[in-house]
Amino acid sequence: CDALNLAMAAVMAMEEDVAKMSWDRKRNLNRDELNGYYRERFNQAAEQRRVRMYDRAWDEVRKREIAQGAKARATRATAQTAQANVTKNLSTPAPTPPAEEGWGGDLYEFKIQYSTNFGEEMYLVGSADELGAWDLSRKVHMAWNKDNYWTVKIQIPADRKAVEYKFIVGHNGNNRWEGGQNHRFELTGGRCVLSVWEQGSTAIF
């Protein structure tokens, strides 16, 4: 009877909290009761581990949701700022560039037929600032084209009125000036200016 009461007390204790049993109490249990005790202890520990695992999982989920919410808010704020800047830029008129004094000219194409030697290049220099103002260091390089025509396009303001110029053959730093009179023409609008080597005549078409 005493053994039965002891066993019942042990089972009640395991049902309540499966409390850790002292060695003296374990010694009074039979094999089945002791196995039941350890089985309950194992189940309780497993349940506690499962609860802790769920708690950690929920904590991780909450942390990720908070981080994603903060990222989404930052993205929205960046997009709103960019949209505000675009709207501001669209509503603000572009500044008008200052007009250059004397501007309002046309594009002139200078052209001359000349057979250069190997390695030689053709240049143009003249009275207008756009033509180098007779400064060899600012001479304008011309491009070779079919049939030995050398050409270059230069925009010259209308207030230059008249322009004088000469052609130069350059090679390895040496410059050979065109002889004869300066070429000269009136600025009357953009067109092709055809010249003949060492002849002051100029054809405009």
Side-chain angles (χ1 to χ4, degrees):
C1 184
D2 293 337
L4 180 60
N5 291 335
L6 182 60
M8 291 179 63
V11 171
M12 291 176 63
M14 286 186 290
E15 288 178 350
E16 290 177 359
D17 190 26
V18 195
K20 188 175 182 180
M21 187 179 295
S22 66
W23 173 250
D24 291 336
R25 293 184 61 188
K26 292 179 185 177
R27 190 170 52 184
N28 293 323
L29 298 178
N30 59 35
R31 183 175 180 178
D32 291 338
E33 293 169 342
L34 193 59
N35 287 339
Y37 165 76
Y38 283 120
R39 186 164 49 252
E40 290 298 327
R41 290 284 295 173
F42 175 81
N43 291 338
Q44 184 185 53
E47 180 64 21
Q48 290 174 349
R49 285 195 299 271
R50 188 160 47 248
V51 170
R52 288 194 297 269
M53 181 183 66
Y54 289 153
D55 288 342
R56 288 194 296 268
W58 279 114
D59 288 341
E60 183 64 23
V61 169
R62 286 194 294 270
K63 290 179 181 178
R64 292 186 180 184
E65 288 181 347
I66 292 173
Q68 290 176 354
K71 183 178 180 180
R73 288 191 296 272
T75 301
R76 286 195 299 270
T78 301
Q80 291 172 355
T81 301
Q83 183 62 37
N85 291 335
V86 170
T87 302
K88 180 179 179 181
N89 291 336
L90 290 177
S91 61
T92 303
T96 303
E100 296 186 32
E101 184 179 356
W103 191 249
D106 294 284
L107 189 66
Y108 293 84
E109 181 180 20
F110 293 85
K111 187 173 184 179
I112 186 171
Q113 188 177 34
Y114 185 83
S115 298
T116 57
N117 297 319
F118 180 78
E120 292 180 337
E121 298 288 333
M122 184 71 73
Y123 298 88
L124 177 69
V125 67
S127 58
D129 189 63
E130 292 73 20
L131 304 182
W134 299 115
D135 184 353
L136 282 180
S137 65
R138 297 172 55 199
K139 60 185 181 292
V140 181
H141 182 259
M142 304 183 72
W144 182 90
N145 293 274
K146 185 179 179 181
D147 297 327
N148 291 321
Y149 276 101
W150 294 82
T151 62
V152 64
K153 293 182 179 180
I154 303 174
Q155 196 161 14
I156 304 176
D159 65 352
R160 300 292 188 263
K161 300 189 182 302
V163 171
E164 293 187 2
Y165 61 95
K166 275 186 175 294
F167 297 99
I168 296 174
V169 178
H171 179 60
N172 291 335
N174 297 317
N175 298 301
R176 186 171 77 252
W177 283 80
E178 175 191 14
Q181 299 293 321
N182 295 339
H183 299 280
R184 187 180 188 280
F185 73 98
E186 303 287 334
L187 275 67
T188 56
R191 59 189 66 189
C192 181
V193 182
L194 180 62
S195 304
V196 179
W197 180 261
E198 295 188 342
Q199 295 185 20
S201 60
T202 298
I204 302 176
F205 58 94

